[in-house]
Amino acid sequence: MNTNTPINYEKAKAAIDSFGIPKFENATIRDIVNIANKIEQETGEKFVRLEMGSPGFPPEKIGVEAEIEAMKKGIASKYPPLQGIPELKNAASRFIKAFIDIDITPESCIPTSGSMQGCYASFLVCGQCDKKKNKILFIDPGFPVQKTQLKVLGMEYESFDTFNYRGEKLAEIIESKLKSGEFCAMLYSNPNNPAWTCLTDSELKSIGQLATKYDVIVIEDLAYFGMDFRQDITKPFEPPYQPSVAKYTDNYIMMISGSKAFSYAGQRIAVTAISDKLYKREYEGLKNRYGIGGFGLVYVNRVLYTLSSGTAHTPQYALAAMLNAASNNEYNFLHDVYEYGRRAQKLKEIFLKNGFHIVYEKDIDNPVGNGFYFTIGYKNKTGVQLMYELLFYGVSAISLNSTGSQQEGLRICTSFVQDNQYETLDERMKIFHLNNQ
């Protein structure tokens, strides 16, 4: 590696070595954050932060005001209902109809402490329905922490990289996995973290049909709801709608997060929407374990009860207010976050002109849209090499291998980039490109 780098090589290397990470491919997102912080402290050079998928905008004031109002009424002294407050359950049901065109009752819309808790609870319940089915199938690349959740739960999983499996090939590889009869659920994000690819309606139809055929539950992570900016879904009760597998199977759980589209990450609020049929479905495995067999009842009255005794009151009022305002066409919930797409376009231009390429470049035949994430590679360097070397250029990002991808490269997040950093990034990447000729 060329040591003529924008960040003092010796100081940066000493900072990296101080963390004692024997294999850099095992470095987590938090490791990279901490290393970048330390290099900044040691050198005084500010990093271009591309590693952390954290919202970069102020929280929506509609939510803040609703939360303050609820607090003033003394709600903090009361335990929240396990199943969620009626205001949020009703708002979620209406929002899903307005922007996905799916009918789901308020009973089946469950507030959780972020989609992280919703996912954890979903894994747990899905894995206990049938003792013969204890595996999760990940349609990767994906959010690394979801696999960590399974390690905590002691559950098994398999995954495959969608890079070479889109369209009809996607259905073929999924069916080849599900035929074993070992899988209780499969999970994907749409738009995808980190590739920002979006499953097409025909792909979702195939997934739904296979879920029904093999009696597998689809966990649909909509953390980036509506953020495929190639189409505008913000007109309530009018097409186009957010694509969803819910149109093609009753075996689904969808997670709608307040974190990204609503910039409300700090209050840990989301809705897990379980299909009405799945919510009421009885499973022998659950009945043997809990004395009650209903999927939804176990999810709420056993699992969420023991995890957190429900979700905090005031964030529920906040999310209810934002969902209602969006459904009433009083609030364009994507207006602010369109900026992520503009940032992605600028960042891509900088990387491309300095020798990088986009790894996940296409949605089948269409270019991937610009949004919260994208992926880059450089010549024949591995993702781990890039992650390590770019630290000496004042750029922090995470390797694709941590996301379940089989491709070499980095995940780039647009959330923390400032307008005054594009020139700095361009200068640093020019030096990187020259050093690697």
Side-chain angles (χ1 to χ4, degrees):
M1 175 178 166
N2 192 317
T3 59
N4 182 25
T5 56
I7 307 298
N8 183 281
Y9 181 85
E10 287 75 19
K11 289 183 179 180
K13 189 170 189 311
I16 295 168
D17 292 345
S18 71
F19 283 83
I21 301 172
K23 292 185 177 180
F24 215 68
E25 59 263 34
N26 295 329
T28 67
I29 298 173
R30 298 291 179 176
D31 288 333
I32 298 300
V33 169
N34 292 333
I35 290 170
N37 288 343
K38 185 158 187 177
I39 296 174
E40 283 186 336
Q41 291 167 8
E42 295 294 326
T43 65
E45 297 282 355
K46 186 172 175 60
F47 264 61
V48 180
R49 310 303 288 256
L50 304 174
E51 81 283 356
M52 194 70 175
S54 182
F57 300 111
E60 172 51 46
K61 67 177 183 178
I62 293 171
V64 174
E65 290 170 358
E67 194 162 356
I68 291 171
E69 186 61 29
M71 187 67 78
K72 285 180 177 178
K73 291 179 180 178
I75 202 70
S77 67
K78 298 177 174 63
Y79 284 115
L82 289 175
Q83 70 274 22
I85 62 171
E87 291 87 342
L88 179 51
K89 294 172 74 66
N90 289 325
S93 173
R94 185 162 176 256
F95 181 87
I96 290 168
K97 180 61 178 177
F99 295 102
I100 310 181
D101 195 28
I102 291 295
D103 293 302
I104 187 166
T105 61
E107 180 185 20
S108 301
C109 299
I110 315 300
T112 57
S113 297
S115 286
M116 283 281 287
Q117 187 190 49
C119 187
Y120 188 92
S122 297
F123 286 154
L124 197 156
V125 181
C126 288
Q128 295 176 349
C129 291
D130 183 342
K131 63 183 180 181
K132 297 192 223 58
K133 294 182 173 184
N134 57 7
K135 275 187 175 181
I136 305 292
L137 177 63
F138 286 96
I139 302 176
D140 273 340
F143 183 34
V145 185
Q146 289 167 333
K147 296 184 179 72
T148 304
Q149 289 181 323
L150 290 182
K151 290 178 183 177
V152 173
L153 287 167
M155 292 178 65
E156 297 180 8
Y157 68 86
E158 288 186 25
S159 65
F160 68 91
D161 182 354
T162 57
F163 188 84
N164 293 314
Y165 298 98
R166 295 299 304 272
E168 292 181 3
K169 291 180 180 179
L170 181 67
E172 290 170 3
I173 190 170
I174 291 174
E175 184 158 30
S176 74
K177 300 284 188 182
L178 299 187
K179 278 180 179 178
S180 70
E182 300 174 285
F183 293 94
C184 59
M186 54 180 155
L187 180 144
Y188 57 82
S189 58
N190 200 34
N192 175 272
N193 168 8
W196 213 248
T197 50
C198 296
L199 295 174
T200 66
D201 199 59
S202 62
E203 288 174 321
L204 291 168
K205 183 177 182 179
S206 296
I207 291 171
Q209 290 172 338
L210 290 170
T212 301
K213 180 178 179 179
Y214 292 99
D215 197 18
V216 171
I217 296 167
V218 182
I219 304 173
E220 187 170 67
D221 184 358
L222 300 178
Y224 308 94
F225 191 98
M227 290 171 65
D228 176 10
F229 302 133
R230 295 172 298 182
Q231 61 176 2
D232 179 10
I233 69 148
T234 58
K235 294 290 187 291
F237 304 101
E238 293 180 16
Y241 296 101
Q242 164 70 39
S244 174
V245 76
K247 291 186 179 293
Y248 305 110
T249 184
D250 292 318
N251 292 349
Y252 72 83
I253 300 169
M254 67 172 74
M255 299 182 297
I256 300 173
S257 172
S259 295
K260 303 305 191 301
F262 299 96
S263 299
Y264 226 76
Q267 295 303 80
R268 311 308 305 129
I269 184 65
V271 169
T272 297
I274 304 170
S275 89
D276 290 335
K277 287 190 178 179
L278 178 59
Y279 189 95
K280 295 184 181 303
R281 183 173 169 181
E282 297 274 330
Y283 286 92
E284 195 64 29
L286 299 180
K287 189 172 183 179
N288 291 339
R289 181 182 288 262
Y290 299 108
I292 57 173
F295 189 97
L297 289 178
V298 169
Y299 191 97
V300 175
N301 294 331
R302 296 296 185 271
V303 175
L304 290 184
Y305 183 28
T306 56
L307 286 177
S308 62
S309 291
T311 301
H313 258 128
T314 56
Q316 292 193 56
Y317 282 100
L319 186 56
M322 293 186 287
L323 296 181
N324 277 328
S327 298
N328 292 337
N329 204 21
E330 299 165 351
Y331 158 52
N332 183 329
F333 64 98
L334 295 178
H335 179 269
D336 289 340
V337 298
Y338 286 135
E339 175 62 20
Y340 294 133
R342 290 188 281 270
R343 291 178 185 177
Q345 181 62 39
K346 292 178 181 178
L347 290 169
K348 284 180 181 180
E349 289 171 1
I350 291 170
F351 283 112
L352 289 172
K353 77 176 184 178
N354 288 300
F356 290 81
H357 60 272
I358 305 301
V359 179
Y360 291 84
E361 187 180 14
K362 292 286 187 74
D363 262 336
I364 306 179
D365 295 324
N366 298 313
V368 166
N370 295 318
F372 199 73
Y373 296 113
F374 63 95
T375 57
I376 61 169
Y378 185 87
K379 296 184 179 178
N380 61 350
K381 288 187 182 290
T382 68
V384 175
Q385 285 175 320
L386 277 176
M387 179 170 64
Y388 179 82
E389 290 182 23
L390 287 185
L391 290 170
F392 295 88
Y393 293 79
V395 176
S396 50
I398 68 164
S399 171
L400 286 178
N401 73 334
S402 67
T403 70
S405 172
Q406 300 299 307
Q407 314 311 310
E408 296 295 349
L410 300 176
R411 182 188 82 172
I412 301 298
C413 183
T414 66
S415 63
F416 285 144
V417 180
Q418 304 300 312
D419 285 342
N420 62 1
Q421 290 187 304
Y422 294 114
E423 186 176 344
T424 301
L425 178 66
D426 192 16
E427 290 172 356
R428 291 176 179 178
M429 293 304 93
K430 281 178 184 174
I431 299 169
F432 177 84
H433 193 31
L434 283 171
N435 284 347
N436 284 278
Q437 291 302 303

